Amino acid sequence: RCRLHLAVPALLLALGALFAPAARAEHTPFSVRIAGSSTVLPVAEAWADRFRPVGTYDFHLEGGGSSEGAERVCKSHDDPLHVDIGEMSREWRDTEALQLDDDYTWECLSSKVRVTRLQIGIDGLALIVAKDGAANTCLKRVGGLTLAQLRWIFSGLSSEALAADGVNISSVAPADDGDGIKEWSDFDAGCPEEPIHPYGAGNMSGTHDFFWPRSFPPAVVP
């Protein structure tokens, strides 16, 4: 399970005032810029829909991934890329910010901007395959995949490199035909002889940061 966070500059926490219902202002609506995790984005969109009718706030929402959310919330307020709220589906990295003594304030290493982290939920992570495709056909036959088999699929390392890292290739891909191509039939001769094409979030994504360290040893994490 990955934790979903908002990173909010201390200047804005005033969150009670920022999001509390208020009378319609006569002046220009207060602009709130939000960017980051695509996992958290639907939650932010729901909040924006809730508060837009008030007329006090003008929301600008973007995705971009957790790393972008962390980077942009740390920028100075006069930077055009700065956002008021950074969405993240992972923890802060040691290279991004330093956690202060109160356990919820973080100081950005790049700018000394201080932000408050708010956990807003816990999300699950799933690997899915296309219905009636080669993967689905094979998984039905073999009964699922082990963590070692996921490592074999996603790491990009050769069988030899994984074996040197301690993976028992004879149990991971017992039907490997040795052609150097990772195929579903490498798991079982009765599976389709079709290449395995894994897809997933890139390294700007909090989903990537959550999945890789929990699935692979440090030497394999890109």
Side-chain angles (χ1 to χ4, degrees):
R1 302 182 302 170
C2 54
R3 300 180 185 274
L4 309 181
H5 299 133
L6 297 181
V8 186
L11 182 64
L12 283 176
L13 267 188
L15 258 199
L18 181 63
F19 286 116
R24 177 178 291 274
E26 298 298 328
H27 55 75
T28 303
F30 182 73
S31 178
V32 181
R33 301 186 64 192
I34 304 174
S37 168
S38 57
T39 304
V40 185
L41 182 59
V43 180
E45 289 173 337
W47 289 338
D49 289 342
R50 165 65 177 81
F51 286 100
R52 278 193 181 103
V54 175
T56 308
Y57 313 110
D58 183 16
F59 292 93
H60 303 273
L61 292 91
E62 303 174 51
S66 295
S67 293
E68 181 160 330
E71 178 183 354
R72 293 179 63 179
V73 79
C74 282
K75 290 185 178 296
S76 63
H77 292 273
D78 58 359
D79 191 309
L81 292 178
H82 170 79
V83 294
D84 303 302
I85 299 176
E87 306 158 325
M88 301 169 67
S89 56
R90 61 166 173 82
E91 299 288 349
W92 282 94
R93 295 172 179 163
D94 293 341
T95 55
E96 295 172 331
L98 174 68
Q99 186 175 16
L100 303 185
D101 292 341
D102 61 12
D103 293 332
Y104 56 81
T105 302
W106 294 72
E107 184 174 270
C108 302
L109 299 182
S110 61
S111 63
K112 301 304 180 183
V113 168
R114 291 190 175 185
V115 300
T116 298
R117 184 187 66 180
L118 304 174
Q119 182 177 326
I120 62 167
I122 298 177
D123 193 22
L125 183 66
L127 296 173
I128 60 174
V129 298
K131 183 179 179 181
D132 299 329
N136 190 42
T137 300
C138 186
L139 295 183
K140 284 182 177 179
R141 180 177 179 86
V142 301
L145 294 173
T146 66
L147 192 60
Q149 287 172 323
L150 287 178
R151 186 183 304 173
W152 182 80
I153 290 173
F154 279 94
S155 69
L157 298 179
S158 67
S159 294
E160 291 75 15
L162 285 169
D165 195 48
V167 176
N168 185 348
I169 298 300
S170 63
S171 66
V172 168
D176 189 352
D177 57 10
D179 62 2
I181 301 172
K182 294 179 180 179
E183 299 162 317
W184 293 108
S185 56
D186 292 339
F187 293 133
D188 186 283
C191 290
E193 191 173 351
E194 295 184 23
I196 299 172
H197 298 294
Y199 296 93
N203 58 12
M204 291 290 285
S205 165
T207 302
H208 175 282
D209 282 8
F210 177 83
F211 173 69
W212 281 85
R214 288 162 177 77
S215 302
F216 311 112
V220 178
V221 178

